[in-house]
Amino acid sequence: MTVPTAVSRGPVAMFAERVFGRSSAVPMSRQASDDERAEAAKAEAWELVRAAQDGDSSAFGRLYDRYVDVVYRYVLFRLGDRDLAEDVTSETFLRALRRITSVSYQGRDVGAWFVTIARNLVLDHVKSSRFKLEVVTDEVTEPGSAPFSVGAAAQAGPEQEAISRATRAELLRCVAELGEDQRECIVLRFLQGLSVAETAEIMNRNEGAVKALQHRAVRRLAQLLPTGLR
């Protein structure tokens, strides 16, 4: 099943496109090219891991540069506290450095490994402090970036950018209203861009369960979002 192509696609439409399949508006050649670039980036990251395991400190530094924003955005969204997110992000990479010799290639992007460490730290914090989720909107995504952009028109000018930012803020507010598992699935799949397999491994679920969870989360978002933003 595919999502019909429309002139204007809102955030939920983009979510649904990811759930139900590639839009017919995306050429097969472009899809293949994107997949090839993703595979090349994944292979390069694992080369850096192997170099770091051999004692190359600069290689781990490059891994840090590549994934620090991914980890920070994930932690910030989960905790809603910038200072705490910075601390947890730092601890994530300290733990990763200590454990770098234990990680091995399993077909997923190494970024999923970093996010798994961050997730465990977040869960430890939530359990220890009975933390209540807050959502910080402006720092979670770059203006106009997928998946929370409203399309190419987001770059048209200040008025459209204001609309884009308001849309992202509203979408993130609705994401915060999801159940814990649905919220985390949405964050990992669409905010972090992880694959179903990577998300399943992080969440300790099978891929079928993640697909079903993602489907329900998108449907719930469609119900929560104001009609004009769907």
Side-chain angles (χ1 to χ4, degrees):
M1 178 177 180
T2 58
V3 176
T5 304
V7 174
S8 176
R9 294 162 57 248
V12 168
M14 285 187 280
F15 276 137
E17 181 178 299
R18 296 287 291 274
V19 173
F20 296 121
R22 180 182 55 81
S23 168
S24 58
V26 181
M28 290 294 292
S29 59
R30 175 181 167 187
Q31 182 71 23
S33 178
D34 289 345
D35 290 344
E36 289 172 0
R37 283 195 294 269
E39 285 300 315
K42 182 168 68 175
E44 180 182 0
W46 280 104
E47 286 296 327
L48 290 174
V49 169
R50 285 186 280 273
Q53 290 173 334
D54 291 336
D56 185 347
S57 59
S58 66
F60 189 84
R62 290 168 66 187
L63 286 169
Y64 175 89
D65 291 340
R66 179 177 294 210
Y67 292 108
V68 64
D69 288 342
V70 171
V71 172
Y72 176 76
R73 287 196 301 270
Y74 171 79
V75 176
L76 178 61
F77 190 91
R78 293 296 305 277
L79 299 179
D81 182 303
R82 298 175 183 84
D83 292 336
L84 181 57
E86 290 177 0
D87 291 342
V88 171
T89 299
S90 295
E91 179 62 23
T92 295
F93 284 94
L94 285 173
R95 290 196 181 188
L97 180 59
R98 291 196 293 267
R99 301 174 184 176
I100 192 67
T101 57
S102 67
V103 65
S104 59
Y105 179 75
Q106 296 179 341
R108 59 176 180 159
D109 186 84
V110 69
W113 180 61
F114 289 116
V115 173
T116 297
I117 296 173
R119 179 179 188 261
N120 291 334
L121 288 169
V122 168
L123 291 177
D124 288 344
H125 175 78
V126 171
K127 290 176 182 177
S128 65
S129 63
R130 296 181 182 178
F131 190 87
K132 183 178 180 180
L133 174 74
E134 297 177 5
V135 176
V136 179
T137 58
D138 287 344
E139 295 188 19
V140 172
T141 58
E142 295 292 332
S145 64
F148 298 119
S149 65
V150 292
Q155 305 301 323
E159 292 183 0
Q160 188 59 52
E161 176 60 22
I163 295 173
S164 175
R165 291 175 68 87
T167 301
R168 289 195 305 275
E170 185 64 19
L171 177 57
L172 288 168
R173 182 192 66 76
C174 293
V175 169
E177 293 185 22
L178 297 174
E180 176 65 21
D181 287 345
Q182 290 185 357
R183 182 168 61 238
E184 182 163 32
C185 181
I186 289 295
V187 171
L188 292 172
R189 288 286 289 121
F190 300 118
L191 181 60
Q192 302 303 90
L194 299 182
S195 68
V196 171
E198 291 164 344
T199 301
E201 186 165 351
I202 290 172
M203 296 187 70
N204 297 315
R205 294 169 178 258
N206 61 48
E207 293 184 27
V210 166
K211 289 178 181 178
L213 186 63
Q214 176 178 302
H215 179 94
R216 292 194 299 270
V218 169
R219 291 298 191 192
R220 180 59 180 152
L221 279 176
Q223 295 170 354
L224 291 171
L225 273 175
T227 302
L229 296 182
R230 297 178 186 177

